[in-house]
Amino acid sequence: MAVVAKSLQPGITLASSAGSVFTAGAGGTVVSQGVLSNPTTEAVAFTVQIQRSGASALDVVPSRTIQPNGTDLLPELSNLVLSSGDVLLASGAGLVCILSGYAMS
């Protein structure tokens, strides 16, 4: 088994409705760190969900707000294990999401 450090999501701007920010591939993935930044001039509420392969989406962060020019380091995602086909979803109009971690094969 090989473990490779990866940029899981190098950067995506979120929308107001939940959308996929990362889908785990074969072999599994561990999210080591996530960050959301707010480059806007307004406070923005966000949510983060996980959808296990073939199941309904579950809230990981039901709702939290980031102030203008602020960040959130998403401690809930630290060491989160994702199996093949699991999807991380997030919403927060205008926020930027970056994820790093490890892929296993």
Side-chain angles (χ1 to χ4, degrees), residues 84-102:
S84 179
D86 290 353
V87 179
L88 283 178
L89 305 153
S91 66
L95 299 180
V96 174
C97 177
I98 299 171
L99 302 172
S100 57
Y102 299 91

Side-chain angles (χ1 to χ4, degrees), residues 47-91:
T47 62
V48 177
Q49 299 175 308
I50 185 168
Q51 184 172 12
R52 300 287 184 186
S53 183
S56 298
L58 302 170
D59 289 341
V60 177
V61 181
S63 183
R64 195 155 59 223
T65 301
I66 303 176
Q67 297 303 313
N69 298 311
T71 59
D72 192 304
L73 298 179
L74 302 170
E76 298 87 353
L77 298 186
S78 181
N79 297 313
L80 180 66
V81 177
L82 302 171
S83 298
S84 179
D86 290 353
V87 179
L88 283 178
L89 305 153
S91 66

Side-chain angles (χ1 to χ4, degrees), residues 9-74:
Q9 174 48 259
I12 187 171
T13 301
L14 302 180
S16 58
S17 59
S20 173
V21 294
F22 178 75
T23 301
T29 304
V30 175
V31 178
S32 60
Q33 185 175 9
V35 64
L36 286 177
S37 65
N38 183 357
T40 75
T41 58
E42 302 286 329
V44 177
F46 71 92
T47 62
V48 177
Q49 299 175 308
I50 185 168
Q51 184 172 12
R52 300 287 184 186
S53 183
S56 298
L58 302 170
D59 289 341
V60 177
V61 181
S63 183
R64 195 155 59 223
T65 301
I66 303 176
Q67 297 303 313
N69 298 311
T71 59
D72 192 304
L73 298 179
L74 302 170

